[in-house]
Every structure is written in structure tokens, then in C-alpha cells.
Amino acid sequence: MKPWHKTILVLLILAIAWQFIRPHFFQEEKMARKELRKQVEYHFPELALASGARYGITKTSREFPNRPHVLLIHGLDDPGKVWSKLIPELKERQFNTWVMLYPNDQPITESAEFLKNQLRVLKTKGLNELSIVAHSMGGLVSREMLTNPNLQCTEP
């Protein structure tokens, strides 16, 4: 067997082994990611604040009275580019369009809580009804917010 064949074989075995071992370390990985985010916020507060300022719900169209509101929520590693063709179409049809950007390197539950809090802000501004259109992980975030009993609320 050639030396590079051995290297590929070893890498393949390690990759397969990792697929079997990884689920056993899911909680540890989750905790490590959370701790990393906490350390970044602690050591680089200005950068963390600047990064966080771009997250939230923003309006992408002028107000069309008595027209439906649509909230677009992106998926993993997509800061909303997936909506580049849909937003103009929705505007043309006079939908009130909104986009939510969120840090997608955090647990889905945290993103769902972020979404819930953003929707509370919209509700205090008089927006009581909207439709959610989500892509990939955005759908998981939306579903978590809508179905997790710990995220349910009745107040604005």
C-alpha cells in the first residue's frame, strides 16, 4: 500500500469514528460554543456590541396600509441573501416586508427567544399580525418559538 493510501485510509477511519463519537459530546460542544461566545463578549465588548447591533427585525418596504405583513427569516450561514429575489416581488405586490437577522451560531432555543423578543417590540408598535416565511434553520427557529412552552407568552 502506498503511503498516501494509508493517510487517506486513516483519515477515512477517523471521520467515520467521529460520526459515531460526536453525538456523545453534543452537550459538551454546546457548552463550549456558549463559553466561547461569552469569552468573545468579555474580551472584545466593542466588537461584540457592533456585531450584535446588526441583528433584529428591519422593515424592507414602505408601509402599504391594509396589506399583509411578511417576516422573512434566513437559514444557517445566510445573512438574508436567499431573499434577494423574493423581497422585490413582495414589494411589487404591496406586501409589507420585514427581515430578521440573527446570530446563527447560537443554539436554536436562543435564536427562538431572540425572535420572540423582536416580535414583542413590533407588537408594542402596533403590528399584531404577520406571516412568517423561513428558510432552513430559520424554520427551526420559528418552530421552536411557536412550540416551546417555555417561550410562550400572552403579554405583549
Side-chain angles (χ1 to χ4, degrees):
M1 185 178 269
K2 295 182 181 179
W4 65 275
H5 285 141
K6 289 179 185 178
T7 303
I8 290 176
L9 183 61
V10 168
L11 290 174
L12 183 61
I13 290 170
L14 288 173
I16 291 169
W18 177 247
Q19 292 303 315
F20 287 106
I21 294 170
R22 185 170 183 245
H24 300 289
F25 295 103
F26 179 71
Q27 284 301 94
E28 289 83 356
E29 180 183 352
K30 196 171 166 182
M31 298 285 284
R33 286 176 183 259
K34 190 172 190 174
E35 183 60 30
L36 177 64
R37 282 194 313 276
K38 195 165 94 175
Q39 290 297 320
V40 167
E41 289 172 3
Y42 177 78
H43 291 289
F44 306 101
E46 302 85 20
L47 292 174
L49 189 61
S51 174
R54 68 186 185 112
Y55 299 129
I57 295 177
T58 56
K59 188 177 232 179
T60 65
S61 68
R62 67 179 182 86
E63 181 73 29
F64 296 106
N66 304 318
R67 301 296 295 182
H69 293 266
V70 178
L71 174 62
L72 306 172
I73 305 173
H74 66 82
L76 180 66
D77 294 333
D78 174 20
K81 291 180 182 177
V82 68
W83 309 123
S84 64
K85 292 183 180 177
L86 181 60
I87 290 173
E89 290 293 322
L90 290 170
K91 286 179 184 179
E92 185 177 312
R93 289 169 173 73
Q94 297 186 342
F95 282 89
N96 295 301
T97 56
W98 304 78
V99 172
M100 185 179 101
L101 296 178
Y102 62 99
N104 57 32
D105 63 342
Q106 64 187 9
I108 289 174
T109 305
E110 288 181 28
S111 296
E113 188 169 357
F114 180 75
L115 172 58
K116 177 186 80 169
N117 292 333
Q118 291 293 301
L119 291 175
R120 278 183 174 164
V121 171
L122 287 183
K123 189 169 185 162
T124 63
K125 295 179 180 181
L127 181 60
N128 293 313
E129 189 175 314
L130 59 77
S131 298
I132 294 175
V133 176
H135 175 252
S136 190
M137 191 168 118
L140 297 175
V141 170
S142 304
R143 182 180 67 188
E144 180 70 15
M145 185 206 63
L146 293 168
T147 61
N148 184 330
N150 296 325
L151 295 178
Q152 301 305 305
C153 65
T154 54
E155 76 278 359

